[in-house]
């Protein structure tokens, strides 16, 4: 059941709650270790345990085989930084203040790692967080500034910028393993946030995987050429089409001189710069290896292009294959790192008492509706992969179809550690759900998205989803409602908002939406506050 939460919580109350929750010091025999693995933009369709057949992820699948896989896990806001803020605070974006990638995040507010520290845990964050400021709540942090880079990336270590030679996914994994093996206090339980940059745009794979994946072809999704009939203007006006909106240089890896020779104009003002900056970070050996694979791809395209330049389907096919090759190759490195970590847990005897979570900051489009990216409340971006293993409580091969959210991570982790969650946390612990002690959980989830007008031009919207139905309100420069029956229309192709057969369903969903906005503390006034802040920032 969703609890009522006040819009304004004073600093005094924050302090009182934090002090109360911090009084339970010292490790008990029951306190588990926690390793939270978050990749960036990893679609559930690209994990073989979900059964879509795109690729193989044997190490992530191992977690599913030995633990629980969630089929309706979702996010409160399908955007990188807001999702991470929700993870840390257990509060919706409009209460933790991080509603988009623009607003600053207030690290001074309570978060679950701070509570872990106060209760005897050693904590670390390694990898991507994509929020400004120095992370609070961690005994050790090594994070990428902003989006970070795939090759020879910079990291912020104790506020100092350090460049590390190598491939970012491998560096993050090596650092996480080094911390686990050599840096942590082995007399304390630990909580490690192990965050990969991959497979975020611009999808720069490691050498051993781009050599493999650039030779592969992938089946196109049924809705690759979606015409958006039967829906409103929001889907039609979004700028996420693989053919029309991906960058030729930065995304498809077409060399700028080849684009110039063929007369191809970049789709954005930063695509060529992205390509030059990304490849420009490579050392001589890395660049030679890259050119040995990607230059032949470019030469082959030069010969192909004159025959297909006026054929949108043929061009889309080429661009879709290029997208999948690099995106899935990036995931192969992520999966390899998961395997290395699981092997260490086995070898060190830590596996039995360590909770391992694999998830992403949201879902992602892999050509569905012709799209890449995320942001929408439609299923591919609302849903996120979620797999959790804890041998002491979770039966191997467990499947969970309940609606859990990233909002629930903080209270769930605190529950496992025996630490009382602060009242301002809005999520719910799913510990008993995943252990099989109950099959009851929330019957709907609430979603918001704020970053408009911006890249990809996805309209501002909020909505409610149940196990079967979905209601979405697009607003600001439009006022449109969409409703979907996921049982009859899982691809969300037909808006049934005005269908008389669904009058009662529409009424029910509106009631739940009102309930959610009231209970979670959302309002039109809050939206106007964040809209003003966003527009003011855009003008600067």
């Amino acid at each position: 059941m969703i609890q009522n939460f006040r819009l304004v919580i004073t600093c005094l109350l924050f302090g009182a709650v934090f002090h109360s929750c911090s009084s339970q010091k010292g490790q008990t025999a029951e306190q588990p270790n926690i390793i939270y693995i978050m990749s960036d933009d990893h679609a559930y369709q690209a994990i073989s345990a979900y059964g879509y057949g795109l690729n193989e992820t044997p190490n992530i699948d191992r977690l599913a085989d030995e633990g629980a896989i969630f089929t309706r896990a979702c996010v409160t806001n399908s955007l990188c930084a807001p999702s991470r803020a929700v993870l840390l605070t257990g509060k919706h974006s409009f209460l933790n203040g991080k509603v988009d990638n623009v607003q600053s995040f207030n690290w001074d507010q309570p978060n679950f790692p701070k509570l872990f520290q106060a209760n005897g845990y050693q904590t670390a964050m390694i990898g991507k967080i994509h929020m400004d400021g120095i992370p609070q709540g961690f005994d050790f942090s090594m994070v990428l500034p902003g989006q970070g880079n795939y090759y020879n990336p910079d990291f912020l270590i104790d506020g100092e910028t350090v460049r590390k030679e190598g491939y970012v996914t491998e560096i993050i994994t090596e650092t996480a393993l080094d911390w686990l093996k050599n840096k942590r206090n082995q007399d304390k339980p630990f909580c490690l946030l192990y965050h990969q940059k991959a497979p975020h745009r611009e999808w720069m794979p490691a050498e051993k995987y781009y050599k493999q994946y650039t030779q592969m072809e992938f089946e196109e999704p049924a809705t690759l050429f979606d015409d958006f009939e039967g829906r409103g203007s929001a889907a039609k006006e979004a700028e996420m089409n693989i053919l029309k909106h991906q960058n030729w240089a930065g995304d498809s890896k077409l060399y700028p001189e080849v684009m110039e020779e063929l007369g191809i104009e970049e789709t954005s003002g930063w695509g060529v710069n992205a390509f030059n900056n990304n490849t420009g970070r490579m050392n001589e050996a890395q660049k030679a290896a890259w050119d040995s694979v990607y230059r032949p791809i470019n030469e082959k395209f030069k010969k192909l292009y004159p025959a297909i330049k006026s054929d949108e389907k043929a061009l889309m096919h080429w661009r879709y294959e290029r997208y999948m090759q690099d995106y899935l190759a990036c995931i192969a490195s992520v999966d390899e790192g998961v395997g290395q970590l699981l092997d260490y847990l086995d070898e060190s005897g830590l596996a039995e008492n360590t909770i391992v979570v694999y998830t992403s900051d949201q879902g992602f489009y892999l050509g569905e509706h012709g799209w890449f990216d995320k942001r929408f409340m439609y299923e591919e971006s609302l849903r996120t992969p979620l797999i959790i293993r804890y041998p002491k409580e979770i039966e191997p091969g467990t499947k969970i179809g309940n609606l859990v959210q990233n909002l629930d991570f903080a209270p769930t982790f605190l529950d496992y550690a025996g630490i009382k969650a602060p009242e301002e946390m809005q999520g719910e612990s799913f510990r008993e759900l995943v252990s099989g002690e109950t099959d009851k959980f929330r019957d709907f989830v609430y979603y918001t998205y704020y970053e408009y007008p911006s890249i990809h031009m996805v309209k501002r919207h909020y909505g409610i989803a149940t196990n079967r139905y979905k209601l979405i309100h697009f607003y600001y420069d439009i006022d449109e409602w969409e409703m979907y029956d996921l049982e009859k229309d899982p691809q969300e192709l037909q808006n049934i908002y005005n269908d008389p057969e669904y009058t009662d369903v529409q009424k029910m969903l509106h009631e739940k939406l009102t309930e959610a906005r009231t209970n979670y503390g959302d309002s039109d006034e809050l939206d106007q506050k964040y809209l003003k802040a966003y527009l003011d920032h855009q003008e600067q």
Side-chain angles (χ1 to χ4, degrees):
M1 181 176 294
I2 300 174
Q3 301 175 0
N4 283 300
F5 293 90
R6 289 174 291 183
L7 290 176
V8 179
I9 302 174
T10 66
C11 294
L12 180 61
L13 180 57
F14 272 162
V17 170
F18 189 79
H19 176 77
S20 173
C21 295
S22 300
S23 63
Q24 306 170 41
K25 294 182 181 293
Q27 181 182 10
T28 69
E30 292 76 29
Q31 283 183 301
N33 307 306
I34 297 174
I35 298 178
Y36 176 87
I37 310 170
M38 176 184 275
S39 52
D40 194 312
D41 292 348
H42 191 172
Y44 60 86
Q45 311 94 292
I47 292 177
S48 45
Y50 281 98
Y52 287 82
L54 264 178
N55 61 330
E56 295 296 327
T57 51
N59 297 299
I60 299 172
D61 290 1
R62 176 182 164 192
L63 284 174
D65 293 339
E66 298 174 359
I69 186 169
F70 292 72
T71 58
R72 284 304 302 283
C74 52
V75 294
T76 61
N77 183 332
S78 184
L79 197 61
C80 297
S83 179
R84 295 159 194 271
V86 170
L87 153 72
L88 290 169
T89 65
K91 298 184 291 187
H92 272 276
S93 302
F94 44 82
L95 287 189
N96 68 48
K98 188 62 176 169
V99 298
D100 51 41
N101 283 339
V102 171
Q103 309 300 323
S104 294
F105 177 66
N106 176 20
W107 281 102
D108 291 336
Q109 65 185 301
N111 65 35
F112 83 84
K114 292 181 182 180
L115 293 172
F116 272 67
Q117 279 186 315
N119 285 273
Y121 272 75
Q122 192 170 19
T123 60
M125 173 185 285
I126 299 168
K128 183 174 180 179
I129 188 60
H130 195 206
M131 293 194 292
D132 55 330
I134 303 300
Q136 295 182 25
F138 302 96
D139 298 299
F140 172 74
S141 68
M142 187 186 88
V143 298
L144 294 162
Q147 293 288 3
N149 294 99
Y150 275 104
Y151 279 85
N152 308 322
D154 296 328
F155 286 92
L156 294 175
I157 306 176
D158 296 328
E160 180 183 353
T161 301
V162 177
R163 181 162 174 161
K164 289 183 173 286
E165 195 84 357
Y167 185 66
V168 67
T169 306
E170 296 169 359
I171 293 170
I172 291 170
T173 298
E174 290 163 2
T175 305
L177 286 170
D178 181 59
W179 185 82
L180 287 169
K181 293 176 182 179
N182 305 312
K183 304 295 174 58
R184 66 183 174 87
N185 182 341
Q186 302 204 7
D187 294 327
K188 289 185 175 184
F190 63 82
C191 177
L192 168 63
L193 274 59
Y194 161 49
H195 290 190
Q196 293 289 10
K197 168 185 170 61
H200 194 278
R201 193 180 188 185
E202 284 90 12
W203 315 298
M204 303 278 287
E207 179 182 348
K208 62 182 172 181
Y209 290 119
Y210 66 65
K211 286 183 174 179
Q212 174 187 351
Y213 277 77
T214 52
Q215 305 302 311
M216 300 171 66
E217 292 187 1
F218 302 93
E219 184 177 352
E220 296 174 355
T223 59
L224 183 64
F225 297 99
D226 194 346
D227 61 8
F228 302 108
E229 291 302 316
R231 280 146 292 174
S233 61
K236 295 177 182 177
E237 295 178 15
E239 297 178 359
M240 304 197 311
N241 184 270
I242 293 170
L243 174 59
K244 297 176 181 178
H245 302 119
Q246 274 194 6
N247 291 319
W248 285 94
D251 296 329
S252 294
K253 316 303 189 299
L254 207 59
Y255 286 54
E257 61 268 25
V258 173
M259 292 173 57
E260 184 176 0
E261 181 179 343
L262 296 177
I264 295 175
E265 293 186 5
E266 188 55 285
T267 58
S268 77
W270 48 270
V272 169
N273 287 337
F275 177 90
N276 290 333
N277 291 337
N278 290 334
T279 57
R281 294 189 69 88
M282 295 176 174
N283 61 37
E284 187 175 342
Q286 291 166 343
K287 186 62 164 62
W290 182 272
D291 286 342
S292 72
V293 172
Y294 284 89
R295 280 203 179 277
I297 291 173
N298 275 248
E299 291 302 315
K300 186 176 180 180
F301 182 72
K302 282 168 59 176
K303 295 177 182 178
L304 176 66
Y305 182 69
I308 68 169
K309 65 179 181 179
S310 299
D311 186 341
E312 288 196 355
K313 286 194 173 182
L315 282 174
M316 173 65 100
H317 174 75
W318 187 86
R319 301 207 72 183
Y320 171 76
E321 295 294 344
R322 283 275 51 254
Y323 172 33
M324 287 296 94
Q325 288 166 355
D326 290 344
Y327 176 90
L328 296 174
C330 289
I331 288 172
S333 289
V334 174
D335 185 72
E336 180 180 32
V338 172
Q340 292 171 354
L341 184 142
L342 296 182
D343 287 346
Y344 167 71
L345 294 179
D346 287 343
E347 294 161 4
S348 62
L350 290 169
E352 184 70 16
N353 195 41
T354 300
I355 297 165
V356 182
V357 176
Y358 186 88
T359 189
S360 180
D361 48 359
Q362 71 274 306
F364 212 68
Y365 294 97
L366 303 184
E368 298 88 1
H369 311 293
W371 288 338
F372 67 107
D373 207 68
K374 57 255 184 181
R375 301 168 194 264
F376 274 112
M377 195 186 168
Y378 303 133
E379 284 297 284
E380 290 85 1
S381 51
L382 173 68
R383 283 178 58 188
T384 189
L386 176 58
I387 299 169
I388 178 170
R389 187 187 76 176
Y390 184 33
K392 286 187 175 181
E393 293 190 15
I394 302 172
E395 290 292 327
T398 297
K399 292 186 177 181
I400 305 292
N402 301 72
L403 290 163
V404 302
Q405 286 189 290
N406 53 348
L407 190 70
D408 303 321
F409 288 137
T412 300
F413 297 156
L414 292 168
D415 188 2
Y416 277 120
I419 304 169
K420 183 180 178 182
E423 290 186 3
E424 68 263 25
M425 282 192 176
Q426 298 178 302
E428 303 175 49
S429 171
F430 53 75
R431 180 180 182 179
E432 292 185 356
L433 177 68
V434 77
S435 69
E437 295 175 60
T438 183
D439 60 359
K440 305 298 182 185
F441 208 64
R442 66 166 65 85
D443 62 352
F444 62 88
V445 293
Y446 181 56
Y447 179 90
T448 58
Y449 177 77
Y450 299 90
E451 194 168 294
Y452 175 87
S454 183
I455 183 174
H456 300 305
M457 298 302 285
V458 173
K459 305 286 189 183
R460 298 168 79 92
H461 60 288
Y462 58 83
I464 203 90
T466 69
N467 280 317
R468 177 170 177 176
Y469 300 106
K470 188 178 295 182
L471 178 68
I472 310 172
H473 182 211
F474 294 97
Y475 65 99
Y476 174 53
D477 57 352
I478 60 173
D479 182 10
E480 296 180 5
W481 291 88
E482 294 183 10
M483 191 170 83
Y484 297 96
D485 183 340
L486 299 177
E487 184 177 291
K488 294 183 177 180
D489 181 23
Q491 295 176 326
E492 296 168 295
L493 301 177
Q494 187 61 47
N495 178 15
I496 55 170
Y497 184 76
N498 292 314
D499 188 332
E501 292 186 12
Y502 287 89
T503 300
D504 291 341
V505 174
Q506 185 200 104
K507 180 181 177 183
M508 175 270 292
L509 290 174
H510 271 287
E511 290 173 352
K512 287 186 179 295
L513 181 61
T514 299
E515 177 186 348
R517 285 171 64 81
T518 300
N519 288 346
Y520 281 131
D522 197 9
S523 66
D524 292 341
E525 289 75 21
L526 271 178
D527 181 77
Q528 289 301 309
K529 167 190 169 182
Y530 289 119
L531 173 61
K532 183 179 185 303
Y534 180 74
L535 295 177
D536 287 347
H537 185 275
Q538 296 292 83
E539 291 177 358
Q540 293 175 4

